[in-house]
């Protein structure tokens, strides 16, 4: 039996998590897996209930589970709270508490949605890449940081073990994909990048089947727009990854379609859509559940090792889009408009078919 923690959170969170759970149940039934779901509170919903954005009960639940599927947190109701009390602080808190140091952000263009990209169809057709971003080190966390008179300091620091473990995530992933890693750094200027390169080369020796290349971050930003089809796995540090993963994601053109995974040393992982809690459409039944449904596919693949089942979900999403069904955020002329729940039902039916 697999135990899955569901953290719906705020805004559209409960609506999209309900659809993703429905899809996971359908996969469990089809392939004969027993899945147990338990819900926990996080974000504003948790603050309202007990005064803490990330309650201990929720952390305990996550630690006792095989994987965590999260909706989104935050909303205007809690915007006036100080930074460390806001629902969004729970996001950093949960990643830290679960030791999640690797962030995986795939960018895949579904043929039916290629028109939604800001780039020409022939440039984006067939994009299928993943950005592997180091999540707990680098300039966002390095010490010292702060102000001194009219100066401000941030420190970019990486250690060999930090680089090694994220590099392994990227190489392992490339082994299951097209076998290519592009390591992105700024080794012409930064000492941390020179160390990064050395360690990545050393780790690559354990993966002779994987083709490794190095790219400066400025060139990578350009290549993503010029010829994104050249990439398979992009491996990079925290800040470069933050920027490049947003750039890569937007090649697909739609926020409602982007899943993500955060992984640590073991198999426990946290899976969530890239988008936020969309308070402007919460409760209206129009949110696109596909980013969360595809996050559930990543959960099956990376935490439960259920590759075929994950692929079935992704196939179902492609099929339903090919049939022309669209939630309002990805609607186009001639499509069949559907709401959140109908979209979930369509994916379930495709899985069962
Ligand atoms: P957002 O991603 O919530 O929304 C941006 C726009 O995209 C909105 O117009 C929204 O309606 C639309 N949108 C987002 N997801 C959608 C979906 N699944 N289907 C259809 N439309 C969708 O970003 P925001 O408005 O900047 O932030 C709203 C709240 O979410 C804030 O409190 C913010 O801090 C929080 N947030 C949380 C996370 C997270 O939980 N990981 C991430 C980003 C923002």
């Amino acid at each position: 039996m697999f135990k899955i923690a569901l953290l719906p959170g705020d805004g559209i969170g409960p609506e999209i998590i309900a659809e993703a759970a429905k899809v996971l149940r359908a996969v469990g039934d089809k392939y004969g897996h027993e899945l147990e779901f338990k819900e926990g509170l996080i974000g504003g919903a948790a603050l309202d209930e007990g005064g803490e954005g990330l309650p201990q009960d929720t952390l305990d639940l996550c630690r006792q589970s095989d994987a965590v599927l999260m909706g989104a947190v935050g909303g205007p109701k809690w915007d006036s709270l100080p930074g460390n009390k806001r629902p969004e602080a729970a996001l950093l808190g949960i990643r830290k508490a679960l030791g999640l140091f690797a962030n995986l952000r795939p960018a895949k263009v579904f043929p039916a949605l290629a028109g939604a990209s800001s780039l020409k169809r022939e440039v984006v057709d067939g994009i299928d890449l993943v950005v592997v971003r180091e999540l707990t080190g680098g300039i966002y966390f390095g010490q010292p940081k702060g102000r001194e008179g009219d100066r401000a300091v941030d420190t970019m620091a990486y250690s060999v073990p930090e680089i090694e473990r994220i590099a392994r995530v990227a190489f392992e992933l490339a082994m299951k994909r097209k076998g290519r890693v592009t390591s992105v750094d700024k080794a012409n200027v930064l000492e941390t990048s020179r160390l990064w390169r050395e360690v990545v080369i050393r780790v690559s020796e354990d993966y002779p089947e994987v083709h490794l290349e190095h790219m400066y971050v400025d060139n990578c930003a350009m290549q993503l727009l010029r010829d994104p089809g050249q990439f398979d796995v992009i491996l990079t540090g925290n800040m470069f990854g933050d920027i490049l993963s947003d750039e890569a994601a937007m090649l697909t053109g739609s926020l409602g379609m982007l899943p993500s995974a955060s992984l640590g040393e073991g198999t426990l992982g946290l899976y969530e859509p890239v988008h936020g809690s969309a308070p402007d459409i919460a409760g209206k039944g129009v949110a696109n559940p596909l980013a969360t449904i595809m996050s559930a596919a990543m959960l099956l693949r990376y935490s439960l090792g259920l590759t075929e089942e994950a692929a079935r979900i992704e196939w179902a999403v492609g099929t339903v889009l090919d049939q022309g069904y669209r939630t309002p955020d990805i609607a186009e002329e001639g499509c069949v408009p559907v709401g959140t729940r109908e979209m979930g039902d369509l994916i379930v039916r495709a899985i069962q078919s």
Side-chain angles (χ1 to χ4, degrees), residues 265-280:
E265 291 290 356
T267 55
L268 175 64
L270 173 73
Y271 301 84
E272 57 181 317
V274 167
H275 61 71
S277 60
D280 50 332

Side-chain angles (χ1 to χ4, degrees), residues 12 72-75 88 91 255-256 272 274-281 287-288 329:
I12 59 171
V73 300
E88 291 84 348
L91 293 176
L255 198 53
E272 57 181 317
V274 167
H275 61 71
S277 60
D280 50 332
I281 55 167
N288 185 348
D329 58 308

